[in-house]
Tab-separated table of all heavy atoms in Angstrom:
chain	number	residue	atom	x	y	z
P	124	LYS	N	-2.116	-5.151	1.052
P	124	LYS	CA	-1.944	-6.619	0.551
P	124	LYS	C	-3.036	-7.494	1.214
P	124	LYS	O	-3.158	-8.581	0.798
P	124	LYS	CB	-0.595	-7.054	1.087
P	124	LYS	CG	0.534	-6.339	0.485
P	124	LYS	CD	0.753	-6.364	-1.032
P	124	LYS	CE	1.335	-7.747	-1.387
P	124	LYS	NZ	1.447	-7.881	-2.827
P	125	GLY	N	-3.764	-7.026	2.233
P	125	GLY	CA	-4.825	-7.946	2.795
P	125	GLY	C	-4.364	-8.982	3.824
P	125	GLY	O	-5.112	-9.703	4.274
P	126	ILE	N	-3.018	-8.892	4.022
P	126	ILE	CA	-2.433	-9.742	5.099
P	126	ILE	C	-1.522	-8.935	5.917
P	126	ILE	O	-1.095	-7.903	5.420
P	126	ILE	CB	-1.742	-11.008	4.619
P	126	ILE	CG1	-0.620	-10.714	3.734
P	126	ILE	CG2	-2.817	-11.938	3.977
P	126	ILE	CD1	0.160	-11.869	3.234
P	127	THR	N	-1.138	-9.345	7.086
P	127	THR	CA	-0.212	-8.593	7.935
P	127	THR	C	1.238	-8.880	7.405
P	127	THR	O	1.475	-9.876	6.717
P	127	THR	CB	-0.322	-9.032	9.431
P	127	THR	OG1	0.118	-10.398	9.541
P	127	THR	CG2	-1.761	-8.727	10.022
P	128	ILE	N	2.245	-8.074	7.856
P	128	ILE	CA	3.554	-8.328	7.536
P	128	ILE	C	3.992	-9.613	8.166
P	128	ILE	O	4.695	-10.478	7.515
P	128	ILE	CB	4.441	-7.112	8.066
P	128	ILE	CG1	4.116	-5.886	7.290
P	128	ILE	CG2	5.875	-7.491	8.018
P	128	ILE	CD1	4.760	-4.591	7.848
P	129	LYS	N	3.562	-9.898	9.498
P	129	LYS	CA	3.944	-11.168	10.046
P	129	LYS	C	3.451	-12.334	9.259
P	129	LYS	O	4.183	-13.397	9.064
P	129	LYS	CB	3.343	-11.154	11.496
P	129	LYS	CG	3.792	-12.374	12.290
P	129	LYS	CD	3.181	-12.332	13.728
P	129	LYS	CE	3.565	-13.540	14.550
P	129	LYS	NZ	3.052	-13.487	15.825
P	130	GLU	N	2.224	-12.248	8.752
P	130	GLU	CA	1.643	-13.428	8.003
P	130	GLU	C	2.458	-13.506	6.630
P	130	GLU	O	2.667	-14.635	6.202
P	130	GLU	CB	0.219	-13.083	7.719
P	130	GLU	CG	-0.777	-13.150	8.785
P	130	GLU	CD	-2.212	-12.624	8.593
P	130	GLU	OE1	-2.327	-11.794	7.674
P	130	GLU	OE2	-3.088	-13.098	9.344
P	131	TYR	N	2.851	-12.465	6.089
P	131	TYR	CA	3.530	-12.528	4.768
P	131	TYR	C	4.968	-13.089	5.085
P	131	TYR	O	5.379	-14.061	4.218
P	131	TYR	CB	3.735	-11.092	4.183
P	131	TYR	CG	4.339	-11.142	2.849
P	131	TYR	CD1	3.715	-11.786	1.742
P	131	TYR	CD2	5.564	-10.476	2.580
P	131	TYR	CE1	4.313	-11.816	0.448
P	131	TYR	CE2	6.068	-10.490	1.320
P	131	TYR	CZ	5.550	-11.154	0.263
P	131	TYR	OH	6.132	-11.212	-1.019
P	132	VAL	N	5.545	-12.749	6.134
P	132	VAL	CA	6.944	-13.357	6.417
P	132	VAL	C	6.810	-14.728	6.706
P	132	VAL	O	7.613	-15.595	6.221
P	132	VAL	CB	7.494	-12.577	7.685
P	132	VAL	CG1	8.699	-13.338	8.274
P	132	VAL	CG2	7.994	-11.145	7.239
P	133	TYR	N	5.763	-15.265	7.380
P	133	TYR	CA	5.422	-16.590	7.674
P	133	TYR	C	5.348	-17.431	6.400
P	133	TYR	O	5.918	-18.516	6.176
P	133	TYR	CB	4.192	-16.759	8.539
P	133	TYR	CG	3.743	-18.138	8.889
P	133	TYR	CD1	4.549	-18.951	9.647
P	133	TYR	CD2	2.609	-18.692	8.266
P	133	TYR	CE1	4.227	-20.277	9.999
P	133	TYR	CE2	2.209	-19.948	8.561
P	133	TYR	CZ	3.020	-20.739	9.438
P	133	TYR	OH	2.625	-22.091	9.749
P	134	ILE	N	4.632	-16.867	5.460
P	134	ILE	CA	4.521	-17.475	4.094
P	134	ILE	C	5.896	-17.684	3.379
P	134	ILE	O	6.171	-18.770	2.860
P	134	ILE	CB	3.504	-16.628	3.176
P	134	ILE	CG1	2.062	-16.799	3.667
P	134	ILE	CG2	3.604	-17.247	1.731
P	134	ILE	CD1	1.068	-15.791	3.064
P	135	LEU	N	6.686	-16.539	3.528
P	135	LEU	CA	7.949	-16.581	2.902
P	135	LEU	C	8.942	-17.549	3.519
P	135	LEU	O	9.629	-18.279	2.856
P	135	LEU	CB	8.638	-15.122	2.951
P	135	LEU	CG	7.988	-14.065	2.077
P	135	LEU	CD1	8.653	-12.795	2.312
P	135	LEU	CD2	8.091	-14.483	0.588
P	136	GLU	N	8.770	-17.672	4.811
P	136	GLU	CA	9.563	-18.574	5.610
P	136	GLU	C	9.234	-20.077	5.269
P	136	GLU	O	10.188	-20.819	4.941
P	136	GLU	CB	9.343	-18.461	7.172
P	136	GLU	CG	9.935	-17.240	7.719
P	136	GLU	CD	9.620	-17.076	9.205
P	136	GLU	OE1	8.502	-17.629	9.694
P	136	GLU	OE2	10.239	-16.300	9.819
P	137	MET	N	7.977	-20.334	5.115
P	137	MET	CA	7.596	-21.675	4.724
P	137	MET	C	7.979	-22.037	3.310
P	137	MET	O	8.401	-23.197	3.049
P	137	MET	CB	6.119	-21.909	5.010
P	137	MET	CG	5.660	-21.810	6.424
P	137	MET	SD	6.528	-23.131	7.524
P	137	MET	CE	7.577	-22.025	8.479
P	138	GLU	N	7.846	-21.116	2.460
P	138	GLU	CA	8.232	-21.317	1.023
P	138	GLU	C	9.759	-21.610	0.895
P	138	GLU	O	10.205	-22.466	0.190
P	138	GLU	CB	7.823	-20.243	0.081
P	138	GLU	CG	6.256	-20.166	-0.095
P	138	GLU	CD	5.697	-21.469	-0.602
P	138	GLU	OE1	6.181	-21.922	-1.652
P	138	GLU	OE2	4.667	-21.927	-0.046
P	139	ARG	N	10.471	-20.795	1.631
P	139	ARG	CA	11.970	-20.924	1.596
P	139	ARG	C	12.397	-22.203	2.218
P	139	ARG	O	13.234	-22.894	1.739
P	139	ARG	CB	12.631	-19.792	2.270
P	139	ARG	CG	14.203	-19.730	2.158
P	139	ARG	CD	14.703	-18.446	2.570
P	139	ARG	NE	16.168	-18.590	2.906
P	139	ARG	CZ	17.099	-18.235	1.988
P	139	ARG	NH1	16.809	-17.640	0.822
P	139	ARG	NH2	18.345	-18.296	2.455
P	140	ALA	N	11.773	-22.647	3.317
P	140	ALA	CA	12.037	-23.838	4.000
P	140	ALA	C	11.752	-24.997	3.089
P	140	ALA	O	12.578	-25.939	2.891
P	140	ALA	CB	11.150	-23.959	5.286
P	141	LYS	N	10.674	-25.002	2.403
P	141	LYS	CA	10.263	-26.066	1.520
P	141	LYS	C	11.348	-26.232	0.318
P	141	LYS	O	11.782	-27.341	-0.048
P	141	LYS	CB	8.854	-25.861	0.914
P	141	LYS	CG	7.764	-26.186	1.880
P	141	LYS	CD	6.351	-26.279	1.233
P	141	LYS	CE	6.052	-24.969	0.634
P	141	LYS	NZ	4.598	-25.015	0.100
P	142	GLU	N	11.679	-25.012	-0.046
P	142	GLU	CA	12.679	-25.048	-1.159
P	142	GLU	C	13.992	-25.601	-0.731
P	142	GLU	O	14.519	-26.463	-1.425
P	142	GLU	CB	12.922	-23.596	-1.690
P	142	GLU	CG	13.843	-23.331	-2.755
P	142	GLU	CD	14.126	-21.883	-3.034
P	142	GLU	OE1	13.166	-21.117	-3.114
P	142	GLU	OE2	15.296	-21.494	-3.284
P	143	LEU	N	14.544	-25.225	0.391
P	143	LEU	CA	15.737	-25.694	1.012
P	143	LEU	C	15.635	-27.192	1.337
P	143	LEU	O	16.596	-28.039	1.142
P	143	LEU	CB	16.202	-24.922	2.185
P	143	LEU	CG	16.647	-23.461	1.995
P	143	LEU	CD1	16.816	-22.709	3.283
P	143	LEU	CD2	17.791	-23.442	1.108
P	144	LEU	N	14.566	-27.651	1.853
P	144	LEU	CA	14.262	-29.049	2.116
P	144	LEU	C	14.394	-29.948	0.875
P	144	LEU	O	14.883	-31.054	0.832
P	144	LEU	CB	12.970	-29.256	2.746
P	144	LEU	CG	12.925	-28.807	4.332
P	144	LEU	CD1	11.497	-28.792	4.734
P	144	LEU	CD2	13.739	-29.759	5.218
P	145	LEU	N	13.723	-29.369	-0.250
P	145	LEU	CA	13.719	-30.122	-1.444
P	145	LEU	C	15.020	-30.037	-2.240
P	145	LEU	O	15.354	-31.087	-2.948
P	145	LEU	CB	12.650	-29.660	-2.391
P	145	LEU	CG	11.226	-29.805	-1.929
P	145	LEU	CD1	10.201	-29.188	-2.778
P	145	LEU	CD2	10.890	-31.336	-1.782
P	146	ASN	N	15.763	-29.005	-2.142
P	146	ASN	CA	16.979	-28.812	-2.966
P	146	ASN	C	18.371	-28.852	-2.311
P	146	ASN	O	19.353	-28.566	-3.059
P	146	ASN	CB	16.805	-27.419	-3.811
P	146	ASN	CG	15.477	-27.366	-4.653
P	146	ASN	OD1	15.137	-28.421	-5.287
P	146	ASN	ND2	14.797	-26.300	-4.515
P	147	THR	N	18.369	-29.012	-1.016
P	147	THR	CA	19.682	-29.132	-0.358
P	147	THR	C	19.610	-30.232	0.645
P	147	THR	O	18.516	-30.896	0.865
P	147	THR	CB	19.937	-27.824	0.507
P	147	THR	OG1	19.055	-27.754	1.478
P	147	THR	CG2	19.782	-26.669	-0.372
P	148	ASP	N	20.776	-30.604	1.128
P	148	ASP	CA	20.861	-31.635	2.062
P	148	ASP	C	21.140	-30.947	3.530
P	148	ASP	O	21.644	-31.742	4.399
P	148	ASP	CB	22.001	-32.566	1.816
P	148	ASP	CG	21.696	-33.500	0.588
P	148	ASP	OD1	20.588	-33.845	0.426
P	148	ASP	OD2	22.654	-33.805	-0.147
Side-chain angles (χ1 to χ4, degrees):
K124 298 299 280 179
I126 60 173
T127 66
I128 294 170
K129 184 178 178 180
E130 290 167 334
Y131 187 63
V132 167
Y133 178 67
I134 291 167
L135 293 174
E136 288 173 344
M137 293 303 109
E138 290 304 310
R139 184 171 165 98
K141 289 190 298 186
E142 180 184 321
L143 292 172
L144 287 164
L145 293 173
N146 300 318
T147 72
D148 292 327

